[in-house]
Short mmCIF file of all heavy atoms in Angstrom, two decimals:
data_model
loop_
_atom_site.label_atom_id
_atom_site.label_comp_id
_atom_site.label_asym_id
_atom_site.label_seq_id
_atom_site.Cartn_x
_atom_site.Cartn_y
_atom_site.Cartn_z
N PHE F 1 223.65 -160.86 1.59
CA PHE F 1 222.55 -160.24 2.33
C PHE F 1 221.27 -161.08 2.26
O PHE F 1 220.63 -161.36 3.28
CB PHE F 1 222.30 -158.84 1.78
CG PHE F 1 221.72 -157.89 2.79
CD1 PHE F 1 221.77 -156.53 2.57
CD2 PHE F 1 221.14 -158.34 3.97
CE1 PHE F 1 221.24 -155.62 3.49
CE2 PHE F 1 220.60 -157.45 4.90
CZ PHE F 1 220.66 -156.09 4.65
N THR F 2 220.86 -161.51 1.06
CA THR F 2 219.63 -162.30 0.95
C THR F 2 219.75 -163.62 1.69
O THR F 2 218.83 -164.03 2.41
CB THR F 2 219.28 -162.54 -0.53
OG1 THR F 2 218.95 -161.29 -1.15
CG2 THR F 2 218.09 -163.49 -0.66
N THR F 3 220.89 -164.28 1.54
CA THR F 3 221.12 -165.55 2.23
C THR F 3 221.05 -165.36 3.74
O THR F 3 220.48 -166.17 4.47
CB THR F 3 222.48 -166.15 1.83
OG1 THR F 3 222.51 -166.31 0.42
CG2 THR F 3 222.71 -167.49 2.50
N ARG F 4 221.64 -164.27 4.22
CA ARG F 4 221.62 -163.97 5.65
C ARG F 4 220.18 -163.79 6.15
O ARG F 4 219.80 -164.32 7.20
CB ARG F 4 222.41 -162.69 5.92
CG ARG F 4 222.52 -162.30 7.38
CD ARG F 4 223.00 -160.86 7.54
NE ARG F 4 224.04 -160.52 6.58
CZ ARG F 4 224.40 -159.28 6.27
NH1 ARG F 4 223.79 -158.25 6.86
NH2 ARG F 4 225.36 -159.06 5.41
N LEU F 5 219.36 -163.06 5.38
CA LEU F 5 217.97 -162.82 5.80
C LEU F 5 217.16 -164.10 5.79
O LEU F 5 216.31 -164.32 6.66
CB LEU F 5 217.34 -161.77 4.89
CG LEU F 5 217.93 -160.35 4.98
CD1 LEU F 5 217.26 -159.44 3.97
CD2 LEU F 5 217.78 -159.78 6.39
N ILE F 6 217.42 -164.96 4.81
CA ILE F 6 216.73 -166.26 4.77
C ILE F 6 217.14 -167.09 5.98
O ILE F 6 216.29 -167.70 6.66
CB ILE F 6 217.06 -167.01 3.47
CG1 ILE F 6 216.45 -166.28 2.27
CG2 ILE F 6 216.56 -168.45 3.53
CD1 ILE F 6 216.92 -166.80 0.93
N ARG F 7 218.44 -167.11 6.29
CA ARG F 7 218.92 -167.84 7.47
C ARG F 7 218.25 -167.33 8.73
O ARG F 7 217.72 -168.12 9.55
CB ARG F 7 220.44 -167.67 7.55
CG ARG F 7 221.17 -168.48 8.64
CD ARG F 7 221.30 -167.77 10.00
NE ARG F 7 221.82 -166.43 9.99
CZ ARG F 7 223.11 -166.10 10.20
NH1 ARG F 7 224.00 -167.02 10.42
NH2 ARG F 7 223.47 -164.81 10.23
N ASP F 8 218.21 -166.01 8.89
CA ASP F 8 217.66 -165.42 10.11
C ASP F 8 216.16 -165.69 10.23
O ASP F 8 215.66 -166.01 11.32
CB ASP F 8 217.92 -163.93 10.13
CG ASP F 8 219.39 -163.58 10.24
OD1 ASP F 8 220.19 -164.49 10.56
OD2 ASP F 8 219.75 -162.41 10.01
N GLN F 9 215.43 -165.57 9.12
CA GLN F 9 213.99 -165.82 9.16
C GLN F 9 213.69 -167.28 9.45
O GLN F 9 212.77 -167.60 10.22
CB GLN F 9 213.37 -165.41 7.81
CG GLN F 9 211.88 -165.67 7.69
CD GLN F 9 211.02 -164.85 8.63
OE1 GLN F 9 210.02 -165.34 9.15
NE2 GLN F 9 211.40 -163.59 8.86
N ALA F 10 214.49 -168.19 8.88
CA ALA F 10 214.28 -169.61 9.13
C ALA F 10 214.53 -169.95 10.60
O ALA F 10 213.77 -170.71 11.23
CB ALA F 10 215.19 -170.44 8.23
N LEU F 11 215.58 -169.38 11.18
CA LEU F 11 215.88 -169.64 12.59
C LEU F 11 214.77 -169.11 13.50
O LEU F 11 214.43 -169.74 14.51
CB LEU F 11 217.22 -169.01 12.96
CG LEU F 11 218.47 -169.63 12.30
CD1 LEU F 11 219.72 -168.83 12.66
CD2 LEU F 11 218.63 -171.10 12.72
N LYS F 12 214.19 -167.98 13.13
CA LYS F 12 213.08 -167.44 13.92
C LYS F 12 211.89 -168.39 13.92
O LYS F 12 211.10 -168.42 14.87
CB LYS F 12 212.64 -166.08 13.35
CG LYS F 12 213.58 -164.93 13.67
CD LYS F 12 213.05 -163.62 13.09
CE LYS F 12 213.99 -162.47 13.40
NZ LYS F 12 213.50 -161.19 12.82
N ARG F 13 211.77 -169.18 12.86
CA ARG F 13 210.66 -170.13 12.75
C ARG F 13 211.03 -171.50 13.32
O ARG F 13 210.32 -172.48 13.12
CB ARG F 13 210.24 -170.29 11.28
CG ARG F 13 209.74 -168.98 10.67
CD ARG F 13 209.26 -169.18 9.25
NE ARG F 13 208.85 -167.91 8.66
CZ ARG F 13 207.90 -167.77 7.75
NH1 ARG F 13 207.24 -168.83 7.31
NH2 ARG F 13 207.59 -166.59 7.27
N SER F 14 212.17 -171.56 14.00
CA SER F 14 212.66 -172.80 14.62
C SER F 14 213.03 -173.85 13.58
O SER F 14 212.95 -175.06 13.84
CB SER F 14 211.62 -173.37 15.60
OG SER F 14 211.37 -172.45 16.64
N TRP F 15 213.43 -173.39 12.40
CA TRP F 15 213.96 -174.31 11.39
C TRP F 15 215.45 -174.51 11.66
O TRP F 15 216.12 -173.64 12.25
CB TRP F 15 213.79 -173.73 10.00
CG TRP F 15 212.38 -173.60 9.52
CD1 TRP F 15 211.24 -173.56 10.28
CD2 TRP F 15 211.96 -173.45 8.16
NE1 TRP F 15 210.13 -173.40 9.49
CE2 TRP F 15 210.54 -173.33 8.18
CE3 TRP F 15 212.61 -173.40 6.95
CZ2 TRP F 15 209.79 -173.18 7.02
CZ3 TRP F 15 211.87 -173.26 5.79
CH2 TRP F 15 210.48 -173.14 5.82
N LYS F 16 215.98 -175.61 11.20
CA LYS F 16 217.42 -175.83 11.23
C LYS F 16 217.98 -175.40 9.88
O LYS F 16 217.35 -175.60 8.84
CB LYS F 16 217.73 -177.30 11.50
CG LYS F 16 217.26 -177.79 12.87
CD LYS F 16 217.54 -179.28 13.05
CE LYS F 16 217.01 -179.76 14.40
NZ LYS F 16 217.23 -181.23 14.57
N VAL F 17 219.17 -174.81 9.93
CA VAL F 17 219.77 -174.29 8.71
C VAL F 17 221.24 -174.71 8.66
O VAL F 17 221.99 -174.49 9.61
CB VAL F 17 219.70 -172.75 8.65
CG1 VAL F 17 220.19 -172.25 7.29
CG2 VAL F 17 218.29 -172.26 8.92
N TRP F 18 221.62 -175.34 7.53
CA TRP F 18 223.02 -175.72 7.34
C TRP F 18 223.57 -175.04 6.10
O TRP F 18 222.84 -174.76 5.14
CB TRP F 18 223.16 -177.23 7.17
CG TRP F 18 222.84 -178.03 8.39
CD1 TRP F 18 223.67 -178.32 9.44
CD2 TRP F 18 221.59 -178.65 8.69
NE1 TRP F 18 223.02 -179.08 10.37
CE2 TRP F 18 221.73 -179.31 9.95
CE3 TRP F 18 220.36 -178.73 8.04
CZ2 TRP F 18 220.70 -180.02 10.54
CZ3 TRP F 18 219.33 -179.44 8.63
CH2 TRP F 18 219.50 -180.07 9.87
N LEU F 19 224.87 -174.79 6.14
CA LEU F 19 225.59 -174.20 5.02
C LEU F 19 226.65 -175.19 4.57
O LEU F 19 227.28 -175.85 5.41
CB LEU F 19 226.25 -172.89 5.49
CG LEU F 19 226.68 -171.88 4.45
CD1 LEU F 19 225.47 -171.27 3.77
CD2 LEU F 19 227.51 -170.78 5.12
N TYR F 20 226.86 -175.29 3.28
CA TYR F 20 227.85 -176.24 2.79
C TYR F 20 229.28 -175.73 3.03
O TYR F 20 230.18 -176.51 3.32
CB TYR F 20 227.63 -176.51 1.30
CG TYR F 20 226.47 -177.45 1.07
CD1 TYR F 20 225.16 -176.99 1.08
CD2 TYR F 20 226.69 -178.82 0.91
CE1 TYR F 20 224.09 -177.86 0.90
CE2 TYR F 20 225.63 -179.70 0.72
CZ TYR F 20 224.33 -179.21 0.73
OH TYR F 20 223.28 -180.08 0.56
N TYR F 21 229.47 -174.43 2.89
CA TYR F 21 230.75 -173.82 3.22
C TYR F 21 230.53 -172.32 3.38
O TYR F 21 229.54 -171.77 2.90
CB TYR F 21 231.81 -174.10 2.14
CG TYR F 21 231.43 -173.65 0.75
CD1 TYR F 21 231.73 -172.37 0.28
CD2 TYR F 21 230.76 -174.53 -0.11
CE1 TYR F 21 231.37 -171.97 -0.99
CE2 TYR F 21 230.40 -174.14 -1.39
CZ TYR F 21 230.71 -172.86 -1.83
OH TYR F 21 230.36 -172.46 -3.08
N GLU F 22 231.44 -171.66 4.09
CA GLU F 22 231.29 -170.23 4.33
C GLU F 22 231.26 -169.46 3.02
O GLU F 22 231.94 -169.82 2.06
CB GLU F 22 232.44 -169.72 5.20
CG GLU F 22 232.33 -170.18 6.65
CD GLU F 22 233.34 -169.50 7.56
OE1 GLU F 22 233.99 -168.54 7.08
OE2 GLU F 22 233.47 -169.91 8.72
N TYR F 23 230.45 -168.41 2.99
CA TYR F 23 230.24 -167.53 1.83
C TYR F 23 229.35 -168.17 0.76
O TYR F 23 229.02 -167.51 -0.22
CB TYR F 23 231.58 -167.08 1.20
CG TYR F 23 232.50 -166.39 2.17
CD1 TYR F 23 233.60 -167.04 2.69
CD2 TYR F 23 232.24 -165.07 2.56
CE1 TYR F 23 234.45 -166.41 3.59
CE2 TYR F 23 233.09 -164.43 3.46
CZ TYR F 23 234.18 -165.11 3.97
OH TYR F 23 235.02 -164.48 4.87
N SER F 24 228.96 -169.42 0.94
CA SER F 24 228.06 -170.06 -0.02
C SER F 24 226.63 -169.57 0.19
O SER F 24 226.25 -169.16 1.29
CB SER F 24 228.10 -171.58 0.15
OG SER F 24 227.08 -172.20 -0.61
N SER F 25 225.83 -169.61 -0.88
CA SER F 25 224.41 -169.29 -0.76
C SER F 25 223.54 -170.54 -0.88
O SER F 25 222.32 -170.44 -0.97
CB SER F 25 224.01 -168.28 -1.85
OG SER F 25 224.60 -167.03 -1.60
N GLN F 26 224.19 -171.71 -0.91
CA GLN F 26 223.47 -172.98 -0.98
C GLN F 26 223.14 -173.42 0.46
O GLN F 26 224.04 -173.70 1.25
CB GLN F 26 224.32 -174.04 -1.66
CG GLN F 26 223.62 -175.38 -1.86
CD GLN F 26 222.58 -175.34 -2.97
OE1 GLN F 26 222.81 -174.75 -4.00
NE2 GLN F 26 221.44 -175.98 -2.75
N LEU F 27 221.85 -173.47 0.79
CA LEU F 27 221.42 -173.78 2.14
C LEU F 27 220.61 -175.08 2.16
O LEU F 27 219.87 -175.39 1.22
CB LEU F 27 220.54 -172.67 2.70
CG LEU F 27 221.17 -171.28 2.85
CD1 LEU F 27 220.10 -170.27 3.26
CD2 LEU F 27 222.29 -171.31 3.87
N ARG F 28 220.75 -175.81 3.25
CA ARG F 28 219.83 -176.92 3.54
C ARG F 28 218.97 -176.48 4.72
O ARG F 28 219.49 -176.12 5.78
CB ARG F 28 220.57 -178.20 3.89
CG ARG F 28 219.63 -179.35 4.30
CD ARG F 28 220.37 -180.62 4.61
NE ARG F 28 220.98 -181.17 3.40
CZ ARG F 28 221.76 -182.25 3.39
NH1 ARG F 28 222.04 -182.87 4.55
NH2 ARG F 28 222.28 -182.70 2.26
N LEU F 29 217.67 -176.48 4.51
CA LEU F 29 216.72 -176.08 5.54
C LEU F 29 215.96 -177.31 6.02
O LEU F 29 215.61 -178.19 5.22
CB LEU F 29 215.73 -175.06 4.98
CG LEU F 29 216.33 -173.81 4.31
CD1 LEU F 29 215.22 -172.97 3.69
CD2 LEU F 29 217.12 -172.98 5.31
N GLU F 30 215.69 -177.35 7.32
CA GLU F 30 214.84 -178.42 7.85
C GLU F 30 213.74 -177.80 8.69
O GLU F 30 213.99 -177.14 9.70
CB GLU F 30 215.64 -179.41 8.70
CG GLU F 30 214.78 -180.58 9.20
CD GLU F 30 215.58 -181.61 9.98
OE1 GLU F 30 216.67 -182.01 9.49
OE2 GLU F 30 215.11 -182.01 11.07
N ARG F 31 212.50 -178.02 8.25
CA ARG F 31 211.35 -177.49 8.98
C ARG F 31 211.11 -178.31 10.25
O ARG F 31 211.61 -179.44 10.37
CB ARG F 31 210.11 -177.53 8.09
CG ARG F 31 210.25 -176.74 6.81
CD ARG F 31 208.92 -176.58 6.08
NE ARG F 31 208.16 -177.81 5.99
CZ ARG F 31 207.57 -178.26 4.88
NH1 ARG F 31 207.71 -177.58 3.74
NH2 ARG F 31 206.85 -179.36 4.89
#
């Protein structure tokens, strides 16, 4: 849930978001 909300908020800010693998909480964000 927290990872999902971070992903969604980052996308709203036009950030790029990558995941290393499904179900992981390790994210790479690019502003």
Side-chain angles (χ1 to χ4, degrees):
F1 208 162
T2 293
T3 303
R4 183 195 320 164
L5 294 177
I6 292 170
R7 186 270 310 264
D8 293 347
Q9 178 65 218
L11 293 175
K12 285 181 181 179
R13 298 183 183 211
S14 299
W15 293 20
K16 297 177 182 178
V17 187
W18 293 276
L19 199 68
Y20 283 82
Y21 57 90
E22 288 189 9
Y23 303 104
S24 170
S25 292
Q26 184 74 41
L27 298 173
R28 176 179 292 176
L29 306 175
E30 183 177 313
R31 301 191 315 227

